[in-house]
Amino acid sequence: VVDGEVKWVRERAELEFDLQGVLRGGFGTVQDITERKQAEKALRKKEETARQRAEELQKLMDLAPIAIMVANDPQCRVITGNRAANRLYEAIMGESVSAGPAPGEQDLTRRFFKNGRELKPEELPMHEAVAKAVDVRDSEVDVLLASGRTITMLGSASPLWDAEGRVRGCIAAFVDITQRRKLEEELRRSRDELEMRVQERTAELERSNKELQDFAFIASHDLQEPLRKIRTFGDMIVTRSGTHLGEESRDYLYRMQKAAARMQSLLSSLLEYSRVTANAEPFKLTDLNKTVGVALSNLEILIRDKGGKVELEQLPSLQGDQIQLIQVFQNLIGNALKFHRKGETPLVKIYARPVEQGKKINAYRISVEDNGIGFDEKYLDRIFVPFQKLHGRSEYEGVGMGLAICKKIVDRHGGQITAKSALGKGSAFIITLPARQKKK
């Protein structure tokens, strides 16, 4: 110990004797080897740390469910690996991974396939990584096991280099995805079966819908003539024999005429509803300003009689069936005028706002607002159903088909229609239409 610090020294001494063997004296040397001892200690500590880390890494690799293999030569024949790799190698080759390939053993490549084709050596992940000196990621191969069973492995490999920069082997990882592939195949088959059933069901519904449309068209069209005759003959009775009929008979005749007129109106609305699809025109670029202009022209007399006012902002152009869109705006504006509040001038506002996705306009939200009587929003779903009315026939005329026709037209355009309202505070009908129709 020197100044409280431990020093390592090496001592060497030599003794001198006379001819009679008597000790005459001696000399010696002392060498400070503290630094060397400290270096040796540090080296032993590093080696111990490296050994511990190697053990920890091996334990970690053995715990991994992924097979990790290391090939120490360019032919990928000398292999070491973790426990999962050993199990895989035993399953493929029938022997331990640590034993290496036996002399004269069948080539490993004969046991690997892809899409039913036997793979060449350079096509295997490990061989490809060594031959091309590149990383190979997520390569699927089917492996024929020694038991005759086939599994599917997902493999990745990376080359290893020696001090001279040459590829000396590779490290690879494989995971068994047989069950995943099986589940994916079952899912694909289920999806295909479901798609087929959906297509069949859709075709069946389309046929049924077509038949119903045809029936509705024919029924409503053919029933018009008998009703016209009932009304005509009723008018003739009133004209020719009205004065000879009693008050009760005239009342019955009046009720019959009124019922026939209502039935004729219902059939006309049903016919119009069925024509939304039957008489549809192809979609083309449509200027909604002109479309609303035509609707306003058709409603000119009603607007004048109601003393109404329509405020129209600049509207966009989009792809659609102009005739049907005219019908939509005509129904909505007509309703706004019909359901106005007494003593107040009907006011209708029409405007549009773009619906953007990113920086691209993919739809327009068009609003038709009024200051009318409004309705309770709990009836929102009901108002778009055919022949549904929120008011009695004595209050407001109509059969309850206008909004149902609007919805059917909007649905055909791939859009949506809804409304916001409150009793006594007016209504706002909002239509969302795509700017461009999808190609079929």
Side-chain angles (χ1 to χ4, degrees):
V1 178
V2 179
D3 296 332
E5 183 179 356
V6 176
K7 295 287 187 179
W8 288 85
V9 296
R10 172 180 287 175
E11 294 183 346
R12 186 173 181 179
E14 293 186 9
L15 301 177
E16 292 184 355
F17 298 88
D18 59 16
L19 295 176
Q20 287 75 34
V22 178
L23 178 65
R24 294 178 56 187
F27 66 90
T29 60
V30 178
Q31 180 183 3
D32 187 351
I33 60 171
T34 304
E35 290 185 3
R36 193 186 77 183
K37 284 294 186 178
Q38 289 175 343
E40 289 176 353
K41 185 178 179 181
L43 180 60
R44 285 195 300 272
K45 186 175 181 180
K46 286 183 179 179
E47 289 174 346
E48 179 62 21
T49 302
R51 186 186 62 79
Q52 291 176 353
R53 289 182 178 176
E55 289 179 356
E56 292 170 357
L57 180 60
Q58 185 62 45
K59 288 180 180 179
L60 180 62
M61 289 175 59
D62 287 340
L63 288 173
I66 299 173
I68 302 173
M69 300 181 181
V70 180
N72 293 322
D73 72 351
Q75 286 72 40
C76 300
R77 291 177 301 187
V78 181
I79 299 174
T80 59
N82 62 352
R83 291 178 182 176
N86 193 51
R87 290 193 296 268
L88 174 62
Y89 195 84
E90 286 180 345
I92 299 173
M93 304 302 296
E95 64 176 32
S96 173
V97 67
S98 59
E105 184 177 23
Q106 187 179 16
D107 190 349
L108 207 61
T109 61
R110 295 183 182 275
R111 302 176 187 271
F112 292 81
F113 303 86
K114 193 166 189 175
N115 299 326
R117 181 179 64 84
E118 187 175 325
L119 294 178
K120 298 177 182 179
E122 59 269 21
E123 294 178 294
L124 293 173
M126 296 177 70
H127 290 263
E128 185 178 356
V130 171
K132 297 182 180 179
V134 295
D135 289 342
V136 177
R137 303 291 184 190
D138 300 330
S139 177
E140 288 189 20
V141 292
D142 294 322
V143 186
L144 178 62
L145 304 181
S147 63
R149 187 169 67 93
T150 299
I151 62 173
T152 301
M153 303 297 294
L154 183 67
S156 297
S158 183
L160 299 175
W161 312 84
D162 60 17
E164 285 74 31
R166 295 171 300 191
V167 176
R168 62 175 176 84
C170 70
I171 184 169
F174 293 90
V175 59
D176 187 346
I177 61 169
T178 306
Q179 189 64 22
R180 191 187 82 182
R181 281 277 296 272
K182 183 179 179 181
L183 292 174
E184 288 175 350
E185 182 63 23
E186 291 177 355
L187 181 62
R188 186 191 62 78
R189 285 198 299 267
S190 298
R191 185 179 64 247
D192 291 345
E193 291 176 2
L194 180 61
E195 288 179 355
M196 186 178 298
R197 290 178 183 175
V198 169
Q199 290 175 359
E200 291 174 352
R201 183 59 177 161
T202 301
E204 182 181 341
L205 289 173
E206 287 177 350
R207 287 194 299 269
S208 177
N209 189 45
K210 181 67 167 56
E211 291 173 358
L212 286 173
Q213 288 177 353
D214 292 343
F215 173 78
F217 181 84
I218 293 171
S220 58
H221 183 270
D222 291 351
L223 287 174
Q224 293 278 2
E225 186 58 30
L227 286 172
R228 277 195 293 270
K229 288 184 177 180
I230 291 174
R231 296 188 67 184
T232 299
F233 289 135
D235 290 339
M236 291 174 63
I237 292 174
V238 171
T239 302
R240 297 180 181 181
S241 307
T243 55
H244 301 292
L245 296 174
E247 183 177 346
E248 186 178 19
S249 297
R250 287 197 299 272
D251 181 60
Y252 289 156
L253 186 60
Y254 169 76
R255 292 185 182 184
M256 181 189 73
Q257 290 286 78
K258 191 174 181 180
R262 175 166 173 76
M263 177 60 73
Q264 198 167 23
S265 178
L266 287 168
L267 289 174
S268 296
S269 297
L270 182 61
L271 184 61
E272 189 175 0
Y273 186 77
S274 66
R275 281 173 173 168
V276 170
T277 305
N279 294 344
E281 293 290 330
F283 293 138
K284 60 182 179 180
L285 190 62
T286 301
D287 184 347
L288 292 185
N289 297 289
K290 294 181 180 179
T291 301
V292 175
V294 175
L296 292 175
S297 178
N298 295 339
L299 295 169
E300 183 179 358
I301 295 176
L302 179 62
I303 295 173
R304 183 188 61 195
D305 291 344
K306 298 291 185 180
K309 183 179 179 182
V310 178
E311 295 180 357
L312 177 64
E313 292 187 10
Q314 185 68 25
L315 300 178
S317 295
L318 48 76
Q319 289 183 326
D321 183 334
Q322 186 176 34
I323 294 176
Q324 290 189 347
L325 292 176
I326 290 172
Q327 194 173 9
V328 169
F329 286 108
Q330 191 168 315
N331 284 340
L332 293 179
I333 298 170
N335 280 350
L337 296 171
K338 180 169 65 174
F339 298 105
H340 72 281
R341 282 183 286 178
K342 293 182 179 179
E344 188 166 343
T345 300
L347 175 63
V348 184
K349 297 180 180 180
I350 305 172
Y351 58 89
R353 300 291 182 266
V355 178
E356 297 182 356
Q357 188 173 15
K359 295 184 178 180
K360 185 177 181 181
I361 297 175
N362 60 355
Y364 290 98
R365 189 174 290 115
I366 304 148
S367 298
V368 179
E369 295 182 358
D370 64 58
N371 61 344
I373 61 174
F375 64 89
D376 192 328
E377 285 191 9
K378 69 180 181 180
Y379 300 114
L380 181 59
D381 293 336
R382 178 178 166 184
I383 63 175
F384 295 106
V385 178
F387 302 119
Q388 292 293 316
K389 296 187 63 178
L390 301 184
H391 309 281
R393 292 196 300 269
S394 60
E395 295 179 86
Y396 298 96
E397 61 181 11
V399 296
M401 282 292 288
L403 291 178
I405 292 172
C406 288
K407 184 179 186 307
K408 191 170 185 181
I409 293 173
V410 172
D411 287 345
R412 180 185 169 237
H413 283 72
Q416 295 177 328
I417 183 171
T418 187
K420 293 181 179 180
S421 185
L423 287 173
K425 296 183 179 180
S427 303
F429 286 85
I430 303 102
I431 306 168
T432 303
L433 294 174
R436 290 163 297 278
Q437 293 294 329
K438 296 180 180 178
K439 294 182 179 180
K440 296 183 178 180

